[in-house]
Structure formats: C-alpha cells, structure tokens
Amino acid sequence: MESLNEKNFGGYDAYFISELLDEHECPVCKMALRKPIQTKCGHRLCLSCADEMRKRNKGVLICPLDNSILDSSEIFSDAAIERVIMQLKVKCSNFSSGCEWTGELKILNKHLGSCEYQTLKCLNILCSTSLLHKNLKEHMEKHCVYRSVTCQNCKQKIIFREKQIHEENCEGLPLCCVNQCGMKIMRKEMSSHITDSCANTIIPCQYLNIGCKFKDICYIKKGMRKEHETHANSSMQNHLSMAISKLDALENKITLTVDTLENKIASKVNALENKIMLRVDALENKIISKVESLETKTVSKAVALENKITSKVESFENKNASEVVALENKITSTMDALKNELISKVDAQKDKIMLHEKNLEIIKAFLAVKTSL
C-alpha cells in the first residue's frame, strides 16, 4: 500500500512514555488512533485513514486486516478507546531540545503553545529567522534587524535595518545653519529659516533694478539681513533719484516705441487694405463668371427638358391612339363572336324543339290508334 500523507490524515504522532498497545494503534498509519472507528469485524481505524482508503478504492472500504468489505452502516465511533488514548502519558515533542515536560496527550497542544523549547519563526514579517520560544522576545527586541524602533528626532516608527538611511534624510534632524549664524535648525525648517529669519542670509537691495550698487557689498559682508534695513532707510533719497531717472528713461523708451509701433501699424494697415481690394476684385470677377456660366447651363437644360417633354407627349398620344383602335377592333371582334355563338345556340335550341314536337305527334298518333282499338 502507498505511504499515507500524515499532514492530511493519520493518527497521533507523539512520544508516548509507555509502549503503545496494539488496540490503540491504527493498522493503516501505525500511529495512535485519532477519532477511532470500529468495524463489524471488530477492528479499529483512524477516521481519516478510513476515509482515505475509501477514496482510493473508488468508494469501497476494505478492512486492512481481514480484507472484508465494510458498509458505512456497520461502522461507528469508538468514544471509549478515544478517551483512553487521550489520557496516555506523553513527552513534549521538544524533549530533544531540552524540554522535560510530560503529561496526558489531551493537553499536549496546550503545552506546545507555551513551550519555551518550541521552534518558532520571528513574528516580524520580513524576518525569516527560526528560534526557540524562550529566545523569541529578546531576538525581536534587541537582535532582529527588522524590529520596529522610534526615531529620536521625528518620533516616527521605522525598521531598524533602515535606521541609518532614515537618519541621513530625517526631516527632524537638527543641523547647523549653512550660513553659520550659530543656530541649529531641523532639516525640514532649514529652507524657511534661511529665507525668513537667518541674520547671515545675503539679501540684495530691492532697488537693484534702478541702479543701486548694494549688491557689491553683499558678497563681502555678513549679516546682510539687518544691514539691509539700515541701507534701505539711509539711502531712500538716492533710491528716489534713481527711480525718477529710471522712469524718465523708461518714458522716453515707451514714447519711441509707441511712435515706431504707430508707423509700423499704419504701414501694415495700408498693405492689408491693398491686399483686401485685390481679393475683392478677383472675387467679383469670379462671381460674375460663375453666374454667366450658370445662366447658360440653365437655358440649355430648360430647352433639353422642353424637347424631352414634347417627345414624351407625342409618343403618349400616338400610343394612346393605337391602343384605342386596337381596343375598338377587339370589342368588335368579341361582339361578332358572341353574336355568332348566340345564333348558333338559338338554332340548336330550335332543332331541339322541332325534334320534341315530332316526338309528341308520334306519341299522339300512337295514343289515337291505341284508343280506337
């Protein structure tokens, strides 16, 4: 017989302290009976072993000990033997690893759930390490590279294996200001600090576009944010003068640009008017030519249509005249035929009447002779 797959069926594969009795052992899987059944022939099997044998024999269950065919109605559960087997003493499955527990079979699973010598897989999803239950907690808290830790800077939960990469890019990591202002700023706030509050940020004068040379100082001195305010207040008159000069130059430039644009627009308008006039003349000539061609074509079509109608009318009249004559002839011929047929029938009727009259005279003569006798 084929070897049975113990993962799907079979008895209890436990380490019994006393040798297993024959009446407690399944003859199919050679293990302690699990959910035992008893047959009419007095033998016992595991319920799952019986189901597997029936499946492999196309629905027929044959006793493995005496080869008798077993009917489902002649099989019943053996609860008494099951209670006895569940009370048998066993050792822990992990005794080879050092566990000294012993107890009844029925509480073996409960013990294995808390056995410190049970081999378990690390509970961290990405970790594939297997270790004893008693070492699991320490491994997960101190040694597993996939354990969860808290970043001291941003308080975010991260995987220990990614801690170094996270810290190198952590938004909460305090950094020295790049402008060397002496302050420590979190990475995520560095940009706003440099833009809004750093005393050493280099700020060009807002009037650079009108000629202020404060930009030249910016590349030499530090602390330009506070110096920028002093410069802006003390150089107001100079800024106003530069602004007026800039406006005058801009006004002259605008005037010159406007004159140039007006001349350019006038030239463009004249060229466009000439172009439009040429297009209008060409379009008028084209329309006149089209109208004349259409009139000629219409007259020609009208004449052809008139000739066609006249021809159709004449053909219809000739055809109708011919048909009338033929109909008259047909009527005359029919009338003559009917007349002749009627005359023939009348003559035949007359002959028939005359024959009857002769027969009547003969009968009368015969009766007269008969009467005289």
Side-chain angles (χ1 to χ4, degrees):
M1 182 177 179
E2 296 180 20
S3 61
L4 302 180
N5 186 350
E6 296 177 3
K7 292 182 180 178
N8 297 324
F9 54 85
Y12 295 105
D13 186 16
Y15 296 95
F16 293 92
I17 294 177
S18 301
E19 186 176 353
L20 200 63
L21 298 177
D22 291 343
E23 63 180 358
H24 299 158
E25 183 180 279
C26 174
V28 179
C29 66
K30 302 299 181 182
M31 292 186 287
L33 290 163
R34 184 194 299 265
K35 294 184 179 179
I37 58 172
Q38 189 171 14
T39 67
K40 69 172 183 177
C41 55
H43 299 125
R44 294 184 180 87
L45 306 171
C46 294
L47 177 61
S48 59
C49 291
D51 290 341
E52 182 65 17
M53 289 181 65
R54 184 183 289 110
K55 186 188 302 181
R56 297 191 181 195
N57 289 307
K58 299 180 179 180
V60 178
L61 179 58
I62 300 175
C63 179
L65 297 177
D66 58 19
N67 292 326
S68 60
I69 297 177
L70 304 174
D71 189 84
S72 298
S73 62
E74 300 170 336
I75 298 172
F76 58 91
S77 299
D78 195 334
I81 287 295
E82 184 175 14
R83 280 196 298 273
V84 172
I85 292 173
M86 296 304 289
Q87 291 171 357
L88 294 176
K89 296 289 185 176
V90 296
K91 294 189 290 185
C92 175
S93 305
N94 302 311
F95 75 92
S96 60
S97 299
C99 182
E100 298 178 354
W101 178 90
T102 59
E104 293 182 352
L105 177 61
K106 63 183 177 184
I107 61 173
L108 175 61
N109 284 339
K110 183 178 180 181
H111 163 72
L112 290 176
S114 58
C115 179
E116 292 188 347
Y117 295 90
Q118 179 76 356
T119 301
L120 300 174
K121 184 179 177 294
C122 177
L123 300 181
N124 291 322
I125 297 175
L126 298 176
C127 184
S128 59
T129 303
S130 294
L131 64 166
L132 296 181
H133 191 182
K134 65 178 183 177
N135 299 326
L136 180 62
K137 184 178 180 181
E138 183 181 0
H139 166 78
M140 292 182 62
E141 292 179 354
K142 298 180 180 180
H143 306 296
C144 181
V145 295
Y146 294 102
R147 67 186 185 274
S148 178
V149 295
T150 302
C151 175
Q152 296 302 313
N153 299 314
C154 66
K155 307 304 178 184
Q156 181 181 342
K157 292 288 184 180
I158 55 175
I159 296 175
F160 178 79
R161 186 178 183 181
E162 299 174 355
K163 181 179 179 182
Q164 183 176 355
I165 297 174
H166 170 80
E167 289 179 348
E168 290 175 357
N169 301 279
C170 180
E171 292 294 321
L173 182 67
L175 302 173
C176 293
C177 175
V178 294
N179 286 339
Q180 299 179 4
C181 69
M183 295 184 65
K184 279 196 171 184
I185 310 296
M186 285 192 293
R187 177 181 275 114
K188 65 180 179 181
E189 298 175 355
M190 182 64 73
S191 178
S192 60
H193 165 74
I194 292 172
T195 304
D196 302 331
S197 57
C198 180
N200 283 356
T201 299
I202 298 172
I203 302 176
C205 177
Q206 58 183 326
Y207 298 106
L208 287 177
N209 60 336
I210 59 173
C212 180
K213 301 300 182 182
F214 188 63
K215 181 180 178 182
D216 296 336
I217 306 173
C218 294
Y219 294 103
I220 299 172
K221 290 187 178 181
K222 296 288 183 179
M224 290 310 299
R225 184 179 297 279
K226 53 189 177 182
E227 293 181 13
H228 176 271
E229 296 178 2
T230 303
H231 164 76
N233 294 330
S234 63
S235 305
M236 187 176 295
Q237 187 61 43
N238 292 334
H239 290 159
L240 287 174
S241 299
M242 286 186 285
I244 292 171
S245 299
K246 193 78 172 180
L247 286 173
D248 290 341
L250 184 59
E251 185 178 355
N252 293 333
K253 187 175 181 180
I254 290 172
T255 302
L256 181 61
T257 303
V258 168
D259 293 340
T260 303
L261 286 175
E262 286 178 349
N263 294 333
K264 198 171 183 179
I265 290 170
S267 176
K268 287 278 187 183
V269 169
N270 292 333
L272 186 59
E273 287 178 350
N274 294 333
K275 191 173 182 180
I276 290 172
M277 291 300 297
L278 290 175
R279 293 293 296 275
V280 169
D281 292 341
L283 187 59
E284 286 180 350
N285 294 333
K286 191 173 182 179
I287 291 171
I288 292 171
S289 175
K290 286 281 186 182
V291 169
E292 291 176 350
S293 173
L294 184 60
E295 289 177 348
T296 303
K297 193 173 181 180
T298 303
V299 171
S300 175
K301 282 189 174 183
V303 172
L305 183 60
E306 185 178 356
N307 293 335
K308 190 173 182 179
I309 292 171
T310 302
S311 175
K312 286 282 186 181
V313 170
E314 292 175 353
S315 173
F316 182 71
E317 289 176 349
N318 294 334
K319 187 177 180 181
N320 284 349
S322 175
E323 287 179 354
V324 169
V325 172
L327 185 59
E328 288 177 351
N329 293 335
K330 188 174 182 180
I331 292 171
T332 303
S333 174
T334 303
M335 291 292 291
D336 291 342
L338 289 172
K339 188 176 181 182
N340 293 332
E341 184 179 357
L342 184 59
I343 293 170
S344 176
K345 285 184 177 181
V346 170
D347 291 341
Q349 194 69 26
K350 284 181 179 181
D351 293 339
K352 196 173 183 181
I353 292 170
M354 289 178 68
L355 180 60
H356 283 306
E357 288 178 350
K358 286 181 180 181
N359 290 334
L360 185 60
E361 289 176 358
I362 292 171
I363 291 170
K364 285 180 177 181
F366 176 75
L367 290 173
V369 172
K370 189 94 170 167
T371 303
S372 63
L373 293 177

